[in-house]
Amino acid sequence: MAFLRFVHLFVFVFWYGTLLYFTLVQAPVLFKALPRETFGLVQSKLFPSYYLISYVCGTLLVVTYHLLHPLRNYAAQDCVRITALCLMLLFSLAQGLWIGPQVGRLRLERQAAGESRDTAKVEALSREFGKAHGISSLLNLLVIICGTVYFFYLARDLSHSSLAVKDLLG
């Protein structure tokens, strides 16, 4: 059980840290430092890894949580915790499998329209891209909010326990 708790906590910290770093540090810095087309290209190369991390970590967290907290023993706080983890995974899947590919396709179409100097098409694709990107950003924000809820419960448990690692997730 101690190893399972370690894996669970390690995976959560890794995923949550990746989410915050990518969203609050890496993306804004690159956006300011690179031309728009280059920024889009770099992000398109980073997103597959970002999404893969989310899929693997989200799945591991849901599975390890269930192993550590059998369903028959759930308390109200367990329902909040597992809901937060499941929503993190669900929103990440939606972002990576549904809206992310749309954003990537629209970015390329808009770039091609810009190269052909079709301003009407560029404007239409820019509006479509903006909507899709907004949905993607919202999903990413929801993942972070759900992660913060889960993190709050971890911290609350830590403050109410003897600070033993075994109590952190129990």
Side-chain angles (χ1 to χ4, degrees):
M1 279 300 198
F3 180 72
L4 198 56
R5 286 183 178 100
F6 170 79
V7 168
H8 185 83
L9 185 58
F10 180 85
V11 169
F12 175 74
V13 169
F14 177 77
W15 187 18
Y16 191 67
T18 299
L19 292 167
L20 294 178
Y21 175 78
F22 194 90
T23 303
L24 301 175
V25 177
Q26 181 264 328
V29 167
L30 290 180
F31 182 75
K32 290 178 184 172
L34 299 174
R36 184 171 74 180
E37 292 78 20
T38 306
F39 172 72
L41 179 63
V42 169
Q43 291 292 84
S44 73
K45 300 299 182 192
L46 291 172
F47 278 136
S49 297
Y50 180 74
Y51 295 140
L52 182 61
I53 287 168
S54 294
Y55 307 154
V56 171
C57 289
T59 302
L60 282 172
L61 285 170
V62 169
V63 169
T64 57
Y65 192 86
H66 278 298
L67 292 173
L68 291 166
H69 304 88
L71 189 56
R72 66 183 178 281
N73 299 332
Y74 267 25
Q77 70 179 6
D78 291 310
C79 293
V80 172
R81 290 175 181 191
I82 194 61
T83 298
L85 292 177
C86 287
L87 286 174
M88 286 178 78
L89 178 56
L90 179 69
F91 293 144
S92 294
L93 288 167
Q95 192 179 19
L97 299 175
W98 170 58
I99 199 69
Q102 285 183 20
V103 171
R105 178 184 52 79
L106 290 167
R107 181 186 64 80
L108 292 174
E109 287 179 17
R110 183 178 67 180
Q111 188 174 354
E115 290 169 2
S116 68
R117 307 219 188 274
D118 186 347
T119 56
K121 191 169 184 177
V122 168
E123 288 177 17
L125 288 168
S126 291
R127 282 191 298 278
E128 218 178 317
F129 175 86
K131 288 177 190 174
H133 186 269
I135 292 169
S136 180
S137 296
L138 176 61
L139 289 170
N140 195 64
L141 178 61
L142 290 171
V143 172
I144 291 172
I145 289 170
C146 291
T148 302
V149 168
Y150 190 74
F151 192 39
F152 170 80
Y153 277 90
L154 286 176
R156 192 183 103 202
D157 289 350
L158 184 61
S159 70
H160 290 127
S161 74
S162 64
L163 301 182
V165 173
K166 69 177 187 171
D167 294 333
L168 183 62
L169 300 171

